[in-house]
Amino acid sequence: MTHPSSTSAIGPDTPAAEPYERRWLALGVIAMTVLLVILDATIVNIALPAVSADLGITPATQQWIVTAYTLTFGGFLLLGGRIADFWGRKRTYLVGAAGFAVASALGGLAQNEAMLFGARALQGVFGALLAPASLALLTVLFTDPRERAKAFGVYGAIAGGGSAVGLLLGGALTEYADWRWCFWVNLPVALLAIVLAIPFVPESKAPGDTRYDIPGAIVITLGLASIVYGFTRVAEASQTNAADAAAANAAAAAQGAPTLVTADSGWTDGPAWVFIVTGLVLVALFVVVELRTRNPLLPMRIVLDRNRGGAYLTSTLVGAGLIGAFFFLSLYFQQVLGYEPIVAGLASLPTTLGVLLSAGAASALVPRVGPKPLMVLGGLLAAAGLFTLSFVGVDTGFWQLPFPGQLLLGLGLGFTFVPLSNLALVGAGERDAGAASAMLNATQQVGASIGTAVLASLSVGAVSAYTADTLTSGANPQDPAVGLQAQVEGYTTAFTWAAALLVIGALVSAFLIEATRDDLPAGDVPVHVG
């Protein structure tokens, strides 16, 4: 049957569509696979040493365990969103979940690096189908503003806290089972989601002309992948240069001739700039193509809407700053405080606690106060959390700074992600729900790659500066305490700049977003059940 449709105009008088009676069951099913995609970005991180040792992966190629996933996931997102709109969101969701399960099984069975990298790339491709289809389904299922706020509260809690849960789960599986379970754990969840989605999740698709914009799809896929890879190279070059400089200084000190070898900036990597510039040119070409195409992959009306554009820009900045929390905090726990993987995962849970608390509150507050105040408050709280972490030291106790800093960060993320996800999709209309949700995912992915590069470079610069000061003052560079303090200088610098990115995100929300509670209507899209 087909439920009555409603208009896509934004306003308090927008008529509501009849709600799908099993929408809350559908939300539970969709939440499982959203968590899978979020977890997969971090669950393998703690297992990297074990994976590399088992499969003989060298440090030079180790980063491809992560990069193979981020490249395909970021590159195919916009195409995945349009496939969901035109082919059917439920159908795309089912194919994405099944493909993700198969790719995860292959990853767990990997016998060499080529097989593992291929499995990770496949996970990214099917994740690029699954993520926008999941978010688009939430958009079409929940038409009442209060119910929609609760649904996005669940999504916001998963988006904000899933990364920390991934670190915990990855540490537990690596320490007590085997790294292969970091992949195999996806199988039962994905299969259960497929079984439950068939009866409980309704189909919906865009009306009208559903011809694919093939030129646009090719250009933007290559452009996004090129940008993500370019910034990934910058981050990798920064870390490699820092390791080489540290080794050279240690070798010189061992021979009784202390010297100073400073790490080159990752931004001097020529090929990285080729990929970044090429990606930007392709994105510009994509805009030209879309403006001249009758049936564009990404209609410019989605991005040019002031509120949605502000939400996407905020999403990019939050994605860039958030990477500073989980990546550098995980290193701090393990390399400075000496935590075991499982303990480091447990130590990351305060962020998840904060997200759970604030996401529930935000879902109740969005229909009352609108998205803007909560997004500004959330950005400032998250920035305060990261700024708190910028004061950690070599022997800082967990309860002194890491716990309150992470709790503040989690509270801020919950207040940010719930209204942000709502605002980025509201009013997109039935035809563009998948494209709008893919754009939200793409901004977070590109933001994360940019943030990794920027923060890694700043961190390396801080380590080099501290090392130079140490050698100038006559300290022994072989003293372990000196090395640990240099690492801490790098981490705290990254936390400080990550906090600045989140403050900028809060300012973007304050000045660009104009939507009020009356602009979050019921019934943007009808739900076609069948």
Side-chain angles (χ1 to χ4, degrees), residues 73-296:
F73 182 69
F76 284 96
L77 270 170
L78 285 179
L79 177 58
R82 220 40 170 166
I83 289 174
D85 283 335
F86 291 173
W87 193 46
R89 296 170 187 119
K90 176 180 179 178
R91 186 180 298 174
T92 304
Y93 173 89
L94 292 173
V95 171
F100 199 85
V102 171
S104 298
L106 291 174
L109 293 170
Q111 301 300 307
N112 52 57
E113 66 176 29
M115 186 174 177
L116 181 65
F117 297 162
R120 289 291 282 166
L122 272 180
Q123 280 186 311
V125 170
F126 287 107
L129 291 175
L130 189 56
S134 298
L135 197 50
L137 282 167
L138 290 187
T139 304
V140 302
L141 283 171
F142 293 91
T143 56
D144 177 80
R146 295 186 183 276
E147 288 192 350
R148 174 175 283 186
K150 291 178 182 178
F152 279 109
V154 173
Y155 176 82
I158 294 172
S163 297
V165 175
L167 293 174
L168 171 61
L169 191 56
L173 291 172
T174 302
E175 188 163 338
Y176 296 117
D178 187 277
W179 65 262
R180 297 180 185 276
W181 281 101
C182 292
F183 293 92
W184 289 336
V185 72
N186 295 332
L187 289 174
V189 179
L191 293 176
L192 179 61
I194 292 170
V195 170
L196 295 177
I198 292 172
F200 294 141
V201 176
E203 183 60 282
S204 66
K205 61 175 65 175
D209 188 356
T210 56
R211 288 176 297 177
Y212 288 98
D213 172 20
I214 301 300
I218 294 172
V219 170
I220 194 59
T221 298
L222 292 175
L224 288 177
S226 184
I227 290 173
V228 170
Y229 181 61
F231 281 110
T232 301
R233 279 192 65 106
V234 171
E236 292 166 357
S238 296
Q239 292 159 4
T240 301
N241 294 342
D244 292 344
N249 287 325
Q255 295 174 4
T259 185
L260 174 61
V261 178
T262 56
D264 293 332
S265 170
W267 297 101
T268 61
D269 184 77
W273 279 108
V274 171
F275 281 104
I276 292 171
V277 172
T278 300
L280 292 174
V281 170
L282 288 172
V283 169
L285 178 60
F286 171 72
V287 173
V288 174
V289 170
E290 298 308 275
L291 290 173
R292 298 185 177 188
T293 301
R294 291 184 59 186
N295 198 33

Side-chain angles (χ1 to χ4, degrees), residues 281-337:
V281 170
L282 288 172
V283 169
L285 178 60
F286 171 72
V287 173
V288 174
V289 170
E290 298 308 275
L291 290 173
R292 298 185 177 188
T293 301
R294 291 184 59 186
N295 198 33
L297 182 73
L298 179 67
M300 287 297 106
R301 62 181 176 271
I302 292 177
V303 182
L304 295 178
D305 176 87
R306 177 166 179 159
N307 291 310
R308 276 198 297 273
Y312 292 143
L313 183 54
T314 301
S315 172
T316 304
L317 291 163
V318 170
L322 184 57
I323 196 68
F326 296 118
F327 179 71
F328 292 104
L329 193 60
S330 176
L331 292 176
Y332 172 73
F333 284 149
Q334 293 185 81
Q335 297 184 5
V336 177
L337 298 185

Side-chain angles (χ1 to χ4, degrees), residues 195-495:
V195 170
L196 295 177
I198 292 172
F200 294 141
V201 176
E203 183 60 282
S204 66
K205 61 175 65 175
D209 188 356
T210 56
R211 288 176 297 177
Y212 288 98
D213 172 20
I214 301 300
I218 294 172
V219 170
I220 194 59
T221 298
L222 292 175
L224 288 177
S226 184
I227 290 173
V228 170
Y229 181 61
F231 281 110
T232 301
R233 279 192 65 106
V234 171
E236 292 166 357
S238 296
Q239 292 159 4
T240 301
N241 294 342
D244 292 344
N249 287 325
Q255 295 174 4
T259 185
L260 174 61
V261 178
T262 56
D264 293 332
S265 170
W267 297 101
T268 61
D269 184 77
W273 279 108
V274 171
F275 281 104
I276 292 171
V277 172
T278 300
L280 292 174
V281 170
L282 288 172
V283 169
L285 178 60
F286 171 72
V287 173
V288 174
V289 170
E290 298 308 275
L291 290 173
R292 298 185 177 188
T293 301
R294 291 184 59 186
N295 198 33
L297 182 73
L298 179 67
M300 287 297 106
R301 62 181 176 271
I302 292 177
V303 182
L304 295 178
D305 176 87
R306 177 166 179 159
N307 291 310
R308 276 198 297 273
Y312 292 143
L313 183 54
T314 301
S315 172
T316 304
L317 291 163
V318 170
L322 184 57
I323 196 68
F326 296 118
F327 179 71
F328 292 104
L329 193 60
S330 176
L331 292 176
Y332 172 73
F333 284 149
Q334 293 185 81
Q335 297 184 5
V336 177
L337 298 185
Y339 290 175
E340 294 296 324
I342 182 64
V343 178
L346 286 169
S348 302
L349 285 183
T351 302
T352 304
L353 173 62
V355 169
L356 292 176
L357 292 173
S358 58
S363 66
L365 289 172
V366 166
R368 299 179 183 178
V369 302
K372 180 174 178 176
L374 295 179
M375 290 175 66
V376 173
L377 172 64
L380 295 177
L381 280 175
L386 286 172
F387 189 66
T388 300
L389 292 173
S390 72
F391 291 97
V392 297
V394 173
D395 55 358
T396 301
F398 173 75
W399 300 103
Q400 289 179 273
L401 292 174
F403 178 81
Q406 289 184 91
L407 188 63
L408 273 175
L409 174 65
L411 290 171
L413 292 178
F415 280 124
T416 300
F417 275 118
V418 173
L420 187 151
S421 303
N422 201 332
L423 186 63
L425 297 172
V426 73
E430 180 186 13
R431 181 174 179 78
D432 298 328
S437 61
M439 187 64 187
L440 178 62
N441 281 286
T443 55
Q444 292 170 349
Q445 186 64 37
V446 171
S449 66
I450 295 173
T452 302
V454 172
L455 297 177
S457 299
L458 292 168
S459 176
V460 167
V463 170
S464 297
Y466 181 82
T467 303
D469 292 342
T470 298
L471 290 175
T472 302
S473 64
N476 180 8
Q478 288 186 299
D479 184 352
V482 173
L484 285 178
Q485 186 58 49
Q487 283 183 277
V488 170
E489 289 294 324
Y491 301 152
T492 54
T493 299
F495 291 140

